[in-house]
């Protein structure tokens, strides 16, 4: 009876060790697919609309401070990614949603730089409204854009954010502004 109990105990210990090794392997494998990074440079973002879908990207504007120079962020939206081109005609809506923590002004330019002569700010609406919880957000929209499958195209956007120097007070110290870029696309059916 004593030998049977020792064997059962040994099998139980081996089973627990195997489970611990298996859990460790799973944790190591899963952690390889997750990463976190902080960026201090302007982020170049590309949205490729190859299917009907919804894409979003969030920027945390943690390092903004009042200055005379504008903060410029570029991103692109296209129906091609170099290898693939959308097989349908698409229309997309571009919406930029921001918190209202800082007194910032926004400009958006398509396929031109804000410094170009005659550059046109393409913002159609710029409203501040509360969400269902009473938190206020700024919603910036533009006109719908069409992307045709026979014409591979990429629109390059330049988002210009201004935080004037006259707001250089302690009231705005350590306040973070968040910005979310949403692209909602669907197939053109008519």
């Amino acid at each position: 009876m004593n030998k049977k109990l020792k064997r059962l105990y040994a099998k139980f210990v081996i089973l627990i060790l195997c489970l611990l090794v298996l859990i460790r392997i799973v944790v190591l494998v899963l952690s390889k697919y997750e990463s976190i990074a902080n960026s201090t440079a302007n982020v170049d973002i590309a949205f490729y609309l190859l299917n009907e879908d919804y894409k979003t990207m969030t920027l945390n504007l943690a390092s903004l401070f009042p200055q005379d120079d504008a903060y410029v962020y570029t991103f692109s939206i296209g129906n091609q990614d170099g290898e693939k081109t959308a097989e349908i005609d698409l229309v997309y809506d571009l919406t930029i949603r921001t918190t209202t923590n800082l007194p910032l002004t926004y400009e958006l330019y398509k396929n031109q730089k804000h410094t170009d002569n005659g550059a046109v700010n393409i913002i159609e609406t710029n409203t501040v409204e509360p969400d269902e919880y009473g938190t206020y957000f700024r919603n910036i929209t533009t006109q719908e854009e069409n992307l045709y499958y026979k014409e591979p195209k990429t629109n390059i956007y330049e988002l210009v954010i201004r935080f004037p120097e006259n707001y250089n007070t302690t009231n705005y110290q350590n306040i973070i502004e968040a910005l979310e870029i949403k692209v909602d696309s669907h197939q053109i059916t008519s």
Side-chain angles (χ1 to χ4, degrees):
M1 188 71 159
N2 199 9
K3 280 187 173 185
K4 284 186 179 181
L5 190 58
K6 285 183 181 180
R7 284 185 184 168
L8 184 62
Y9 180 72
K11 287 180 182 180
F12 182 70
V13 169
I14 291 171
L15 178 65
I16 289 178
L17 289 174
C18 288
L19 283 174
L20 290 174
V21 168
L22 182 64
I23 290 170
R24 180 65 180 156
I25 290 172
V26 169
V27 168
L28 286 174
V29 169
L30 290 177
S31 68
K32 289 182 181 180
Y33 296 106
E34 182 178 337
S35 66
I36 296 173
N38 292 327
S39 174
T40 58
N42 289 344
V43 180
D44 290 327
I45 307 142
F47 295 99
Y48 299 111
L49 303 179
L50 301 175
N51 302 304
E52 298 178 48
D53 63 355
Y54 175 84
K55 297 183 186 295
T56 185
M57 203 279 298
T58 303
L59 291 174
N60 284 323
L61 306 175
S63 61
L64 290 181
F65 57 90
Q67 65 179 15
D68 290 331
D69 297 330
Y71 293 90
V72 180
Y73 299 90
T74 59
F75 62 95
S76 63
I77 302 172
N79 63 350
Q80 57 157 341
D81 70 353
E83 299 171 14
K84 299 179 189 175
T85 301
E87 296 179 357
I88 56 174
D89 293 336
L90 294 167
V91 62
Y92 70 88
D93 294 313
L94 173 61
T95 304
I96 299 172
R97 184 175 182 228
T98 71
T99 54
T100 56
N101 300 329
L102 295 173
L104 304 176
T105 58
Y106 298 89
E107 300 168 17
L108 185 63
Y109 300 91
K110 181 180 81 172
N111 297 326
Q112 59 184 337
K113 297 206 175 287
H114 74 284
T115 55
D116 291 347
N117 257 350
V120 177
N121 183 356
I122 63 165
I123 292 176
E124 191 168 280
T125 63
N126 186 346
T127 59
V128 176
E129 299 170 351
D131 66 0
E132 63 270 13
Y133 304 108
T135 305
Y136 282 84
F137 289 94
R138 177 180 309 278
N139 291 304
I140 298 170
T141 62
T142 63
Q143 290 185 342
E144 285 185 340
E145 289 290 329
N146 295 330
L147 296 172
Y148 300 104
Y149 78 95
K150 290 184 179 180
E151 302 169 16
K153 181 178 179 183
T154 300
N155 290 323
I156 299 171
Y157 290 89
E158 188 175 83
L159 178 63
V160 178
I161 301 173
R162 297 186 191 281
F163 191 10
E165 178 107 28
N166 61 330
Y167 290 105
N168 199 4
T169 66
T170 57
N171 296 342
Y172 300 104
Q173 187 174 357
N174 296 326
I175 296 178
I176 297 173
E177 186 80 9
L179 182 140
E180 179 181 62
I181 300 171
K182 300 181 204 175
V183 180
D184 187 15
S185 64
H186 55 276
Q187 183 177 357
I188 299 173
T189 56
S190 56

